[in-house]
Amino acid sequence: MADFRTFPNAKRLPAQPLKPVVDPAGWQPDGLGDVENWSYHLSEADCAALIDAAGEVRRKGVAVEDVGRNNFDIKGGFAGVLGDVRQELRNGRGLVMLRNFPVRQMDSEGRAIAFLGIGAYLGKPMSQNMKGHILGHVKDLGGDYANPNTRGYFTRAEMRCHADPCDYVGLLCLQTAKSGGASRVASSVTVYNTMLERHPDLVAVLVRDFYRSRKGDVNPGQEAWYTQPIFSFADGYFSATGAGSAIDKAQGLPGVPPMTPLQAEAIRVYRAVCEECLADIPFKPGDVQFLNNYVALHTRRDYEDWPEAERKRHLLRLWLSDPDNRPIPTAQREGYRGRGVLPDGVKLNAPLDVIEAP
């Protein structure tokens, strides 16, 4: 029987810089196999429990942005499943797919409440932009991916392989594109070990800081950039982030030096290895993908969308913070990666849709 749980038999050894990492999140793309083999399908009872919990939140008059563990009560066994999802993210593959979320059985508010409710069993929602959105909308709003201040999720371009600045990212598929748009996921552990075997000199570069653009999400008094290594180690745990467009878009910002030739070569090789390690995971409506950003990278294929607004590719997104996730360097936990986009003076909110980029 298919099961997403690998954590009960997982093996991890204390991780050390510039040494091979033994971690349950170190999976190979050909070993991952068909998504059906490692997904959890919500049963009719699970769906009913979600719908009932969302209905109870609405009856109590709780605002969507205030949905949390204290007011979203999932009856039955699905709450236990979500406990295992969190364990798998922390101590297993770092990747889980839930299928059959009841997207067609609820309106936009019900879906938002239920998705935020699921997220509340895994962590605390974080702001994803300067408008304080804790419910993100991944859809093509005509953005130019080459623009230094454009966030990739508002375009239909294929993005750089990256990790989001949070512990877990969750994506709920509402609509698929006319063609393309498959999710692509890689293990950061596998990327690191592959690079260490082939290019240990470049791994030594990637454990040092790189400048990254905030892509316009800047509070007064902040720099337009921050720094972070690609590969990090803390308390015997490996963690990583991507070398996405934020690194390219930092070049030319005031105060950011140009990359050295060795840094540029390390990033080039890193990105090539990421491509080797990516697995394509097609989305369908009702799919929910959760990733641990410290051990998993993601991107998507470019896509062609439908002309009708109601049919356009549309994913809901959560950024979740879990302080009990694997240890990461203190500067990362307290900084941009640990806090997400934290706007001054903006109340957190959960828009049910967006028609223009925040």
Side-chain angles (χ1 to χ4, degrees):
M1 182 178 178
D3 195 351
F4 68 89
R5 302 167 183 86
T6 66
F7 67 87
N9 301 309
K11 178 182 180 181
R12 177 186 290 121
L13 297 179
Q16 302 177 54
L18 304 182
K19 301 288 186 182
V21 169
V22 177
D23 191 287
W27 50 268
Q28 296 285 346
D30 55 357
L32 193 60
D34 191 310
V35 64
E36 286 295 306
N37 295 331
W38 49 271
S39 297
Y40 177 82
H41 281 253
L42 274 70
S43 66
E44 289 187 10
D46 295 335
C47 292
L50 277 183
I51 292 169
D52 288 347
E56 184 63 19
V57 166
R58 295 173 87 162
R59 283 189 291 274
K60 292 179 178 178
V62 177
V64 177
E65 59 268 22
D66 293 330
V67 171
R69 196 63 183 79
N70 63 323
N71 55 37
F72 193 85
D73 185 19
I74 300 175
K75 307 293 186 185
F78 189 51
V81 171
L82 292 178
D84 286 349
V85 169
R86 181 167 175 257
Q87 285 292 342
E88 185 66 14
L89 292 173
R90 295 172 61 215
N91 299 309
R93 273 196 202 97
L95 164 65
V96 177
M97 179 77 90
L98 307 178
R99 313 202 89 168
N100 200 38
F101 181 101
V103 293
R104 302 295 182 235
Q105 297 166 253
M106 291 185 281
D107 60 13
S108 59
E109 185 178 68
R111 290 191 293 264
I113 291 170
F115 190 35
L116 282 161
I118 285 177
Y121 282 72
L122 309 179
K124 183 178 179 180
M126 300 163 65
S127 174
Q128 302 176 33
N129 54 45
M130 293 302 285
K131 290 193 174 180
H133 293 176
I134 61 170
L135 185 67
H137 296 267
V138 181
K139 58 196 298 192
D140 179 23
L141 297 177
D144 178 7
Y145 189 53
N147 186 307
N149 290 328
T150 294
R151 304 276 291 273
Y153 66 100
F154 288 128
T155 78
R156 56 184 175 87
E158 180 161 352
M159 296 186 287
R160 292 279 193 197
C161 200
H162 65 283
D164 289 350
C166 55
D167 286 88
Y168 313 132
V169 57
L171 295 169
L172 165 60
C173 180
L174 302 182
Q175 293 283 148
T176 55
K178 184 177 181 181
S179 63
S183 173
R184 310 186 74 201
V185 180
S187 161
S188 296
V189 178
T190 300
V191 172
Y192 169 85
N193 283 335
T194 302
M195 281 203 70
L196 187 67
E197 181 180 352
R198 300 178 189 173
H199 306 281
D201 56 326
L202 298 182
V203 172
V205 177
L206 296 174
V207 297
R208 304 184 200 127
D209 278 340
F210 280 78
Y211 286 83
R212 300 166 183 270
S213 170
R214 295 182 188 273
K215 301 180 184 178
D217 293 332
V218 182
N219 278 313
Q222 280 184 325
E223 299 286 0
W225 48 265
Y226 64 105
T227 59
Q228 187 177 6
I230 307 298
F231 301 130
S232 300
F233 294 82
D235 301 334
Y237 280 77
F238 167 88
S239 65
T241 186
S245 64
I247 285 180
D248 303 308
K249 293 177 179 182
Q251 293 295 293
L253 290 176
V256 175
M259 278 195 284
T260 67
L262 192 58
Q263 284 179 317
E265 176 66 3
I267 293 296
R268 184 193 69 78
V269 172
Y270 170 85
R271 287 172 173 169
V273 172
C274 285
E275 284 295 317
E276 295 178 32
C277 296
L278 283 165
D280 278 36
I281 303 173
F283 271 142
K284 61 183 181 181
D287 284 350
V288 183
Q289 176 183 281
F290 284 107
L291 298 174
N292 183 333
N293 281 294
Y294 303 135
V295 292
L297 301 161
H298 65 283
T299 181
R300 58 129 195 272
R301 301 257 184 206
D302 62 356
Y303 62 91
E304 178 186 0
D305 222 340
W306 299 98
E308 303 89 353
E310 68 277 5
R311 298 181 71 188
K312 288 187 179 295
R313 184 181 188 271
H314 190 181
L315 311 179
L316 298 184
R317 185 175 71 175
L318 297 179
W319 280 2
L320 300 171
S321 171
D322 180 4
D324 293 326
N325 191 8
R326 66 178 52 214
I328 61 173
T330 301
Q332 294 180 25
R333 176 63 69 187
E334 295 177 353
Y336 179 66
R337 188 166 174 77
R339 298 181 296 115
V341 180
L342 189 63
D344 288 338
V346 174
K347 185 179 184 298
L348 298 180
N349 59 98
L352 300 185
D353 202 353
V354 295
I355 58 174
E356 62 180 24

